Amino acid sequence: MTDPEDDIARGMAALRAQNRLLLEQVEALRGTLAAREDEITRLSARLLELEALRASPEPSGLLARLHARRR
């Protein structure tokens, strides 16, 4: 028969190991989330830029010719 204190110590060690693994997973998920949030921010800014361009009136005269060359 095993010593109850040994069983408790093994159980505690197993819980500590699981806790470390979970913490590593949480940190990895935080990194992934931060990267996705950065991408969403970048795409949102680009969308706002495009919407502002679409809403602005088309240039005329010399400005229109310069704008056409850029395309």
Side-chain angles (χ1 to χ4, degrees):
M1 194 152 139
T2 61
D3 183 13
E5 288 185 21
D6 288 343
D7 289 341
I8 291 171
R10 276 193 295 276
M12 293 291 288
L15 288 173
R16 280 191 207 100
Q18 287 176 346
N19 193 32
R20 280 192 300 274
L21 290 174
L22 288 172
L23 184 57
E24 289 175 17
Q25 289 176 341
V26 166
E27 292 302 320
L29 288 171
R30 282 183 182 153
T32 300
L33 179 59
R36 289 190 178 167
E37 285 177 345
D38 289 345
E39 184 177 359
I40 289 169
T41 300
R42 183 182 57 77
L43 291 172
S44 296
R46 183 68 180 134
L47 179 61
L48 289 173
E49 289 173 7
L50 293 174
E51 287 176 348
L53 282 175
R54 187 176 63 199
S56 66
E58 285 293 319
S60 60
L62 178 59
L63 210 54
R65 289 191 308 236
L66 290 174
H67 187 68
R69 285 186 184 174
R70 286 179 43 194
R71 288 184 184 179

